[in-house]
Amino acid sequence: GEAPEDGEPEPEPEPPFTLTVSVKASTPLVPAPLPAPSSADDGAEEPAPPAPLEPAVVRVTFPGEPDYIVSEEPTEANEDGSYTFDFERSFERVPGAALMDALVNSPAVVVVVVGETELARCVLDLAPFTTGALRVGHGGDKKARDEADAEDAREATDDGVIGDENDRSADAPDARGDASAFLPLEPVPFPVAEPTEEGGEAPSSPLPSNPLLPTAAVAFSVTASKPFVEPEDAERGLILTLAPHEIKHTPPSLSAYEDVESYPFVFAFGAPLPGVPPAVVTGGRLKRRAKEKDKAPNGGSQDPQGGDAEVPEGDDPETETPTTETYVSWSDDSARKFWLPASSVDAFRESIKGRGKTLRFEVARYPVDEPETTPDPVYGNYHAVAETPLEQLLDPGATTCAPKRAFLKAPEYGAKSCLPSPAAVPEGTASYGDEPAVPPGAVAWAASASPSRVAFTVTTIRPLLPPFRPPAPAETTVDELLPARADVVVEDESAEAAAAREFREEVTRASMSLAEEYAAMFTGAPAESDAEPDGAARRRKRLVFELNRSGKYHDMKERLKDAASKIVKSRFFKKSTVRPDDREELDAKYDELYVHLVEEMHAALADLGSTPEETSKRRRESEAAAEAVKRASSARMKNLADEYEINDAFRDAEKWHQERVLLCEKKDASVWCAYGFFLARRGRHGAAEEAFKEALVYDESSTDALRALCCLMLRDEEYHRAEVFGQAIVSEKAPGDAVAWTLLALAYAKLERETDKDNCAFEARRLTATAMTNLMGASPSRVKDDDDDDFSKEKEIEELVGPAAHVKTALLCLDMHLPSVARNALDLGVFDPDDLNANLRDDERLVYKLCLARAAVLEAREEREKDKGASSFATETDDDEFTGGSGAFVANEFTPSETGKAHGRASSKSDVAFGVLMDALSIDATDPKPFELLGDVHKLESRYSEAEEAYTHAMACSGQRGKPPASLKLFLNLGDALLRNGKTADARGAYAAACEMRPCASTWIGLGKSLIGEGDLEGAEAALAEANVLDASNPDAWTQLAILSLLAEPTREDEAERAIGAAFKRGADDPDALARVAALFLRVGGWKHAEAAARRAVKHGAGVETRLCLARASRERGDAEGAAAELKYALALAADEGSVERTARRDGRGGGDDDDDDEGEGGGGVVGVPFLVPELLEELAGVYDELGDARRAEECRRDLRALEREQ
């Protein structure tokens, strides 16, 4: 405290506490004495009286007293063998932390001495004084008794014990030792006789045993004059127990010591505690034992308890001497308890709460004899610290923490130590054994063969956080959040099945009518004319004539037409996406209808003459075959959707997802979920939410839909709705879903419900640990050996279980392209992956880094997509807008557009991803995933050479050492990077391997592109034909076929026109391929198709060259004004590109080699003047001449001459 100012009285010291020890009485201690045997002759009238019990005294040992206290006078025994003592003694103690630690570590002990024999003793724990109790032992406070009785009643009710069954305990001794009853006594072991020497005589009489009755008890109590603690401390304070066990892997300076029992030093272990003195435990001694894991080569084994090893017989000297190890060990009774008041408990909890929070534990050695005064010159050699997380204590209801990776290291320079200060070292004092001192900033433990670590346990008497309780039910239910639907009427058969059944019935009825009519017309013996070759034809004509005459044919035809129309409505119109003017698609639908009707007619005719069993069997087989076809079609559509999504053809991917929805008649929850995940990845979160809700309408137990909705609600900051969807999983559908518990923890964190957040996060961790335990069939601690160098078996088990719950949740969010939610999930992790003491495997750290990298890549891609949509040039509103006002083209007057700033934001995200991926590669450079993500980063930044290198490394690592094989995405990205870099031969090899391992339309199209680049048009045509067989709706195959036809000798222009028309019909949107088609059509004079291809390419992001091609095609087709507009737009783009490039080079961001500055778009010889500008100006001047605008034509030529002079 602060010193009092002058004139102020010093504060009076707090009065001491008074503790009164009382021993009043005991129950019978020994059996009643028997009468002494009579020494008189036979016929004596009275036996000798029984031998009386000897008088007894009590000895009391009390904390803080140097010796025990004995009662003043011996007490005679009562008739029943009990004693009535009258022992009472009071002690004064000064309040403070020292008193509390003494009370929790040292019990009060009473020993009953009968005659000269220590018969029994009773140990009384004084820890209840730290909870505000005034009396401990016999006659303790009534409140504690009532609470104990109430707890017993609750346990009895839970166990099903009711009524009189619970009353039986009233007559039995209280096994628990109720606070109001006498305290049970335990016998003091009698001395055991010394073992006899070999050949000596055994004792003639049996050894005496302690005759203490099992029911013996004593009235022993300790009473305080007032409560030791404040009410708040009594309620929330706790006792912390620190129990060090051992230090493994000692340095050579300790391992080389021969007689470890005589080592003259002990080791101390401690940690700072907030608001109270540090927790320090001494008594660590140097020990030596046989290594537990060593096995003798010929079958001998070692004692797992560290005792003498069983050495096998043999001549090998290595088997005769077991390998030993030296370690520092603390005995089991060396653990110490420390009391923490409420304020210290709060501070202690906050000091270890949060990722990366650790508590500093210290180790040091001290001389055995007089450590306060005996100097140790090399004290710093063994003074080390272990920064250790105690996250297990923050689990709800947890009271024990046993860290497994508390590695010792040198303490920071100048850091304050919690251990006792060593004795001062006089100058010139030699160290024990002349051991040299280690350099500053180092410790002797660092010289160990394996990292030295200390094993210890921290225990609290009550948990830092209350036990786990599930969160309160949400106020809203899932049904209230789903769209309103009319009650689903369960139909026996679908409309399509009903239509098919009616058609078959009409076919059957028509067939029977024809048979009856035929039988009625041709009865009896056949006529002679019927035997002629054309007799059957004449009979058919007669039958047809009769049917037409009677009108029966018309009736049959109308009925069949009505049945067929129902099939058309139920099977085709309901699912049709065909435009009415699309003749080709309509013909295909007619063909499909004809085939279907014929199949149904054949099925109906097959049923004629069949038994009902045969018909039923045939129908079941037909339905099973149809269902198999539907499943195969759904799987094919899913593969096509995934393939288009990999190629960034999102419109086509969505089309196939919608086709799957229609195929299942909108009733398959898994199909809706797949569609919802796709929509979420596209950033259409509202539509994704509706898709997942549709899945729940048809399957309310779909956990995939509930998880996804919870993620979307977290993204939209609808945390109460996220709670509803999360609770629907954990309370009803899947209580063991660790990901759902993690999502709930994220929701409660945002709702600032810390207790519920901690409980949900703990439950997620517990479920993951339980899954690992169930997979192993045993506790993880049983699998993990004490030696921390071998975690191989547990590692295999944990890899089977998968990553932690918060990492699984992050992966789910990343699959939905929700990087912000994924980052929040990763923040729930208890450990910092970069912390060496985090006890994380390399694969766990790797997947964590990959999650961070994926999140950064997604954020960079989002920035690019936003900027791509926002950065568009306005169309011309003034002719002078693109010519500097006076008509002169001055490139230096153009400034970078907002695209440059947006590009900078996206690049910063890419830089973050690049740095994280470098960290991932430092963990494991043999995993293909970091390389593939690195290639994606380079591809996003248009660095295709670096992307090619990264994808090549990923391909080389795939399938090696248990790694997964290369994915379709990796094959396609590698091939695309090779083509962009002009390496067509390598691209052909990559795509050929992809066609073998992952055959699909995209791989064959890539192979066709490569072969076109190499000039092998025949092979390219075969590859593209194969692509069309696999997927005739892929527009890229038709676009490449158009390119191939225009490159052929002679040019197959008609085929090219049909191919590009098919590509347009299927939605071709590849700007590079379309630009090439436009240039090729322009070369052969196909102005119409050149214009159409160029215009579509420009729409999808083609550059200045394509606009020039579009202008030339428009000019050739007579649209000079349209050509002028496109040329002016192209000039604006070229000027902006040159200005951005110039700014980038000025800021040091210019890409490419210096040797290539004058090549390609943006070079043009003069920095900042794009190479196409002269050609654009010359073309524009010609267009103005055609329009008759001589002034503007002259201005363009003047600008062109100015540019030529600058060059």
Side-chain angles (χ1 to χ4, degrees):
E2 298 180 356
E5 298 181 1
D6 295 341
E8 292 185 2
E10 294 185 2
E12 295 182 1
E14 188 174 350
F17 292 101
T18 300
L19 293 167
T20 302
V21 180
S22 174
V23 182
K24 294 299 183 183
S26 74
T27 61
L29 301 182
V30 297
L34 297 175
S38 174
S39 58
D41 297 334
D42 293 339
E45 297 182 358
E46 295 183 0
L53 292 176
E54 297 182 73
V57 296
V58 293
R59 297 176 185 169
V60 176
T61 303
F62 195 76
E65 296 300 316
D67 203 356
Y68 56 80
I69 301 97
V70 185
S71 56
E72 297 178 354
E73 296 293 337
T75 302
E76 296 294 336
N78 299 324
E79 293 182 0
D80 59 353
S82 63
Y83 289 88
T84 303
F85 302 106
D86 190 15
F87 177 87
E88 189 171 292
R89 188 67 56 86
S90 297
F91 306 95
E92 289 189 350
R93 293 290 183 266
V94 178
L99 171 62
M100 305 304 288
D101 289 344
L103 292 176
V104 299
N105 284 287
S106 303
V109 182
V110 61
V111 179
V112 179
V113 182
V114 179
E116 299 297 330
T117 303
E118 294 184 357
L119 185 68
R121 70 173 185 171
C122 177
V123 179
L124 181 59
D125 186 10
L126 303 180
F129 283 123
T130 63
T131 62
L134 291 176
R135 187 167 185 170
V136 178
H138 173 254
D141 62 340
K142 185 175 183 301
K143 180 181 179 182
R145 295 198 304 272
D146 293 342
E147 291 178 354
D149 293 339
E151 181 66 23
D152 286 347
R154 285 193 297 270
E155 293 178 358
T157 303
D158 294 340
D159 295 338
V161 180
I162 57 175
D164 296 336
E165 295 182 6
N166 207 22
D167 298 338
R168 294 178 298 179
S169 60
D171 300 330
D174 189 357
R176 175 180 53 81
D178 188 83
S180 63
F182 282 18
L183 304 184
L185 287 167
E186 59 184 23
V188 176
F190 281 10
V192 180
E194 296 291 336
T196 59
E197 297 181 0
E198 186 175 355
E201 296 182 358
S204 58
S205 59
L207 297 176
S209 61
N210 195 318
L212 186 71
L213 291 172
T215 58
V218 64
F220 178 32
S221 65
V222 180
T223 306
S225 59
K226 58 181 179 180
F228 282 14
V229 295
E230 298 295 332
E232 183 180 6
D233 295 336
E235 182 180 358
R236 299 199 300 112
L238 58 78
I239 298 173
L240 182 144
T241 303
L242 183 61
H245 305 307
E246 64 179 18
I247 302 177
K248 299 196 68 174
H249 307 307
T250 55
S253 57
L254 297 179
S255 302
Y257 198 82
E258 295 182 359
D259 187 8
V260 294
E261 298 296 334
S262 63
Y263 189 68
F265 293 93
V266 295
F267 290 84
F269 178 75
L273 297 176
V276 294
V280 179
V281 182
T282 59
R285 300 305 302 264
L286 198 63
K287 300 286 184 180
R288 184 169 287 124
R289 64 186 173 193
K291 282 191 175 180
E292 299 175 8
K293 291 186 62 180
D294 287 345
K295 298 283 185 181
N298 54 357
S301 63
Q302 296 180 358
D303 183 6
Q305 301 300 326
D308 295 335
E310 178 187 342
V311 182
E313 296 181 0
D315 298 330
D316 189 354
E318 293 184 0
T319 63
E320 296 177 0
T321 305
T323 304
T324 61
E325 63 177 352
T326 305
Y327 64 105
V328 177
S329 176
W330 280 265
S331 61
D332 294 338
D333 57 357
S334 62
R336 283 189 57 80
K337 300 177 181 178
F338 305 90
W339 180 77
L340 301 179
S343 58
S344 296
V345 172
D346 295 338
F348 177 71
R349 181 174 55 248
E350 293 302 320
S351 67
I352 64 174
K353 185 177 182 179
R355 176 184 292 183
K357 291 291 188 70
T358 59
L359 189 64
R360 187 186 64 201
F361 292 87
E362 298 186 40
V363 171
R365 77 172 188 179
Y366 296 88
V368 174
D369 300 326
E370 300 179 356
E372 295 84 2
T373 59
T374 305
D376 182 9
V378 291
Y379 170 84
N381 285 15
Y382 301 97
H383 179 212
V385 298
E387 301 286 348
T388 309
L390 301 180
E391 77 290 338
Q392 295 177 5
L393 287 178
L394 295 177
D395 289 340
T399 58
T400 302
C401 177
K404 299 184 180 299
R405 294 176 64 87
F407 295 109
L408 297 177
K409 64 178 183 179
E412 296 180 0
Y413 177 78
K416 184 179 179 181
S417 175
C418 68
L419 298 178
S421 300
V425 180
E427 186 176 354
T429 304
S431 61
Y432 180 78
D434 294 330
E435 180 180 350
V438 297
V443 287
W445 305 101
S448 304
S450 298
S452 300
R453 69 177 180 92
V454 57
F456 62 93
T457 302
V458 179
T459 307
T460 57
I461 196 173
R462 64 166 61 99
L464 294 177
L465 295 178
F468 169 79
R469 284 189 177 182
E475 298 178 356
T476 310
T477 63
V478 173
D479 292 338
E480 296 175 6
L481 299 179
L482 296 181
R485 290 286 190 275
D487 295 337
V488 179
V489 179
V490 179
E491 300 178 354
D492 295 336
E493 57 183 355
S494 63
E496 183 176 341
R501 178 180 52 77
E502 292 181 11
F503 181 77
R504 291 186 183 186
E505 291 175 354
E506 291 298 333
V507 170
T508 302
R509 185 181 297 110
S511 301
M512 297 299 295
S513 299
L514 288 174
E516 293 172 356
E517 189 70 23
Y518 185 85
M521 290 180 62
F522 305 101
T523 57
E528 295 180 359
S529 59
D530 293 341
E532 297 177 3
D534 59 345
R538 286 200 298 269
R539 286 197 302 273
R540 183 166 56 252
K541 287 181 179 180
R542 290 174 58 190
L543 176 62
V544 171
F545 175 79
E546 182 61 26
L547 290 174
N548 283 319
R549 185 192 64 77
S550 62
K552 294 180 180 179
Y553 177 76
H554 180 267
D555 294 339
M556 286 189 292
K557 183 179 69 172
E558 290 299 320
R559 288 197 300 269
L560 286 172
K561 184 170 70 172
D562 293 340
S565 65
K566 292 181 180 179
I567 290 179
V568 173
K569 292 178 181 179
S570 63
R571 181 178 178 86
F572 294 96
F573 286 173
K574 187 177 179 181
K575 311 177 191 177
S576 178
T577 58
V578 180
R579 297 190 305 273
D581 58 344
D582 193 337
R583 193 70 236 170
E584 182 179 349
E585 293 292 338
L586 285 174
D587 291 342
K589 291 296 182 184
Y590 286 140
D591 293 342
E592 183 180 354
L593 174 62
Y594 175 78
V595 171
H596 179 71
L597 292 178
V598 171
E599 289 177 350
E600 292 294 331
M601 185 179 65
H602 287 171
L605 294 176
D607 291 339
L608 292 175
S610 301
T611 63
E613 292 77 10
E614 293 174 342
T615 302
S616 177
K617 179 181 178 182
R618 190 182 301 112
R619 185 172 296 123
R620 287 196 303 269
E621 292 175 351
S622 176
E623 291 175 355
E627 185 63 27
V629 170
K630 182 181 288 188
R631 287 197 301 269
S633 299
S634 180
R636 176 179 175 274
M637 292 176 184
K638 179 65 168 60
N639 293 334
L640 287 173
D642 294 340
E643 179 185 345
Y644 280 112
E645 187 176 0
I646 290 174
N647 291 316
D648 293 340
F650 302 114
R651 180 178 55 81
D652 295 312
E654 184 171 6
K655 180 194 73 174
W656 286 113
H657 279 294
Q658 292 173 346
E659 289 290 337
R660 290 189 74 207
V661 171
L662 293 175
L663 180 66
C664 71
E665 298 181 354
K666 302 182 180 181
K667 295 181 180 179
D668 192 330
S670 63
V671 173
W672 277 111
C673 286
Y675 187 28
F677 282 115
F678 167 77
L679 293 171
R681 289 191 293 271
R682 290 298 303 135
R684 296 166 57 186
H685 303 108
E689 179 182 348
E690 295 303 319
F692 290 122
K693 287 181 177 179
E694 289 292 336
L696 289 178
V697 168
Y698 294 104
D699 182 8
E700 61 180 10
S701 63
S702 175
T703 55
D704 289 339
L706 290 170
R707 281 183 184 177
L709 284 169
C710 194
C711 293
L712 290 174
M713 295 303 102
L714 290 171
R715 183 259 174 197
D716 295 336
E717 300 182 1
E718 295 283 351
Y719 304 122
H720 289 287
R721 292 191 176 187
E723 177 190 15
V724 173
F725 293 119
Q727 284 195 5
I729 301 175
V730 301
S731 61
E732 302 173 10
K733 310 302 186 297
D737 192 331
V739 173
W741 284 105
T742 306
L743 292 171
L744 273 177
L746 290 174
Y748 290 131
K750 295 297 183 180
L751 292 172
E752 298 182 355
R753 292 164 56 177
E754 289 297 321
T755 301
D756 288 335
K757 184 206 80 170
D758 294 337
N759 282 335
C760 293
F762 162 73
E763 184 67 7
R765 295 194 300 271
R766 186 192 67 80
L767 289 170
T768 303
T770 302
M772 184 179 68
T773 302
N774 294 337
L775 190 60
M776 291 187 296
S779 171
S781 60
R782 293 179 57 186
V783 174
K784 185 178 292 186
D785 194 89
D786 284 342
D787 190 352
D788 61 295
D789 296 332
D790 184 12
F791 293 133
S792 58
K793 186 174 181 180
E794 185 187 18
K795 179 178 178 180
E796 295 175 0
I797 296 296
E798 291 179 345
E799 288 178 349
L800 289 175
V801 174
H806 66 283
V807 178
K808 289 181 180 178
T809 306
L811 291 172
L812 170 63
C813 297
L814 291 171
D815 290 341
M816 297 180 64
H817 288 197
L818 303 175
S820 60
V821 184
R823 289 184 184 276
N824 292 335
L826 292 176
D827 290 341
L828 282 182
V830 176
F831 301 108
D832 183 1
D834 295 326
D835 186 3
L836 296 178
N837 293 329
N839 198 20
L840 295 178
R841 306 185 310 273
D842 285 346
D843 61 297
E844 291 178 312
R845 296 170 56 216
L846 177 64
V847 71
Y848 181 88
K849 295 293 185 181
L850 291 179
C851 287
L852 291 178
R854 285 182 61 186
V857 171
L858 288 175
E859 290 169 346
R861 191 167 293 158
E862 287 179 3
E863 292 289 342
R864 286 292 174 86
E865 290 180 356
K866 290 178 183 177
D867 304 327
K868 184 178 180 181
S871 60
S872 60
F873 289 92
T875 56
E876 65 275 9
T877 58
D878 186 357
D879 289 340
D880 295 334
E881 180 180 355
F882 306 108
T883 55
S886 62
F889 176 81
V890 183
N892 292 337
E893 292 185 5
F894 284 84
T895 58
S897 68
E898 292 298 323
T899 307
K901 298 178 182 178
H903 181 81
R905 290 193 299 269
S907 297
S908 64
K909 298 291 185 181
S910 299
D911 293 341
V912 172
F914 183 83
V916 176
L917 287 172
M918 290 299 102
D919 294 340
L921 288 173
S922 67
I923 297 173
D924 185 2
T926 64
D927 195 291
K929 296 176 185 176
F931 286 111
E932 187 173 358
L933 269 177
L934 186 61
D936 293 342
V937 172
H938 290 309
K939 182 180 178 182
L940 188 63
E941 297 295 324
S942 300
R943 298 191 293 260
Y944 294 106
S945 296
E946 292 86 347
E948 174 199 337
E949 182 179 0
Y951 288 139
T952 303
H953 279 294
M955 188 67 71
C957 296
S958 298
Q960 304 295 324
R961 299 181 180 179
K963 304 299 182 183
S967 63
L968 174 62
K969 177 176 177 290
L970 177 57
F971 274 115
L972 296 180
N973 284 338
L974 175 59
D976 179 68
L978 289 169
L979 283 178
R980 289 180 181 274
N981 293 330
K983 300 180 180 180
T984 54
D986 294 337
R988 181 192 61 190
Y991 280 120
C995 291
E996 182 178 354
M997 298 179 65
R998 307 277 185 180
C1000 64
S1002 296
T1003 56
W1004 286 105
I1005 292 171
L1007 181 60
K1009 288 181 182 179
S1010 305
L1011 294 173
I1012 289 175
E1014 291 193 309
D1016 185 1
L1017 301 184
E1018 184 177 353
E1021 188 169 6
L1024 294 173
E1026 186 68 25
N1028 265 333
V1029 170
L1030 293 174
D1031 180 17
S1033 66
N1034 195 315
D1036 292 340
W1038 295 103
T1039 306
Q1040 295 300 319
L1041 282 172
I1043 294 174
L1044 184 148
S1045 300
L1046 292 171
L1047 290 174
E1049 293 293 341
T1051 303
R1052 307 199 300 258
E1053 191 173 346
D1054 292 342
E1055 295 182 11
E1057 291 177 358
R1058 289 195 296 271
I1060 198 61
F1064 288 164
K1065 184 183 299 183
R1066 288 160 176 79
D1069 58 0
D1070 183 354
D1072 296 334
L1074 290 170
R1076 190 176 185 188
V1077 170
L1080 291 173
F1081 268 118
L1082 191 66
R1083 187 184 67 177
V1084 298
W1087 319 121
K1088 175 182 176 182
H1089 293 90
E1091 181 183 12
R1095 196 171 298 281
R1096 184 177 286 257
V1098 165
K1099 176 183 176 181
H1100 293 288
V1104 176
E1105 291 180 86
T1106 308
R1107 286 193 176 272
L1108 176 58
C1109 178
L1110 175 59
R1112 287 174 173 170
S1114 300
R1115 182 181 178 185
E1116 293 292 343
R1117 298 193 65 208
D1119 185 8
E1121 292 184 355
E1126 292 298 336
L1127 288 171
K1128 289 188 290 183
Y1129 204 96
L1131 278 172
L1133 287 174
D1136 187 75
E1137 290 176 6
S1139 183
V1140 171
E1141 178 189 0
R1142 186 171 61 255
T1143 304
R1145 297 192 183 203
R1146 184 176 64 244
D1147 296 341
R1149 294 184 283 112
D1153 299 331
D1154 294 338
D1155 295 340
D1156 299 329
D1157 285 346
D1158 56 350
E1159 296 181 4
E1161 192 166 340
V1166 178
V1167 175
V1169 181
F1171 74 103
L1172 278 178
V1173 169
E1175 192 172 353
L1176 290 169
L1177 288 173
E1178 184 177 358
E1179 188 75 22
L1180 183 58
V1183 171
Y1184 280 139
D1185 286 338
E1186 292 184 8
L1187 292 173
D1189 193 339
R1191 181 181 65 84
R1192 284 193 171 89
E1194 181 58 28
E1195 288 176 352
C1196 291
R1197 292 187 175 91
R1198 187 174 64 247
D1199 293 340
L1200 180 60
R1201 290 192 294 270
L1203 288 177
E1204 291 175 351
R1205 287 195 299 270
E1206 290 179 4
Q1207 295 179 3

